[in-house]
Amino acid sequence: EVKLVESGGGFVQPGESLTLSCAASGFDFALSGMSWVRQPPGKGLEWVSSIAYDGSIPVYIHSAKDRFIISRDNAKNTMYLQLNSLKIEDTAMYYCVKGYEEWAEMETRGQGTQVTVST
C-alpha cells in the first residue's frame, strides 16, 4: 500500500522560506517519479513540481520556477520541496504524490501539510 506523509508546512511572511518533506513507504520509491501538488483555499488540486526516479529532470509550474527546488534522497525514501521567496498566492495545502507530471497519481496523496503565507 502506498503511504505518503507530508510535513514541514507552517505560517510565514512573504519572502520567507520553508522546506517540505515527504516520507514514502509501501512501494519502490527509488524507481518512482514523484510530484508535489497543492490545493489553494477553495480551489482544486494544482500540480507544482515533479522529479524523476533518480533525481533528474526537475520540472516546475511556471509560477514556481526560480523559487522552488525539488529534490529527493532515495536512501531515506524521502522527497523535499524547498519553497523560497514565498508569496501570498503560494498559500495552500501541499501534497506529495507518486508519479511524474501527467502521470502523477493524485489518489496516492497523504494528509498534506499546510503552507500559509501572510502578513
Side-chain angles (χ1 to χ4, degrees), residues 19-53:
T19 297
L20 310 183
S21 298
C22 169
S25 62
F27 65 103
D28 202 334
F29 180 78
L31 295 182
S32 298
M34 296 291 294
S35 299
W36 286 96
V37 300
R38 66 186 179 186
Q39 186 167 22
K43 298 184 179 181
L45 288 170
E46 174 184 56
W47 172 83
V48 176
S49 180
S50 294
I51 190 168
Y53 72 99

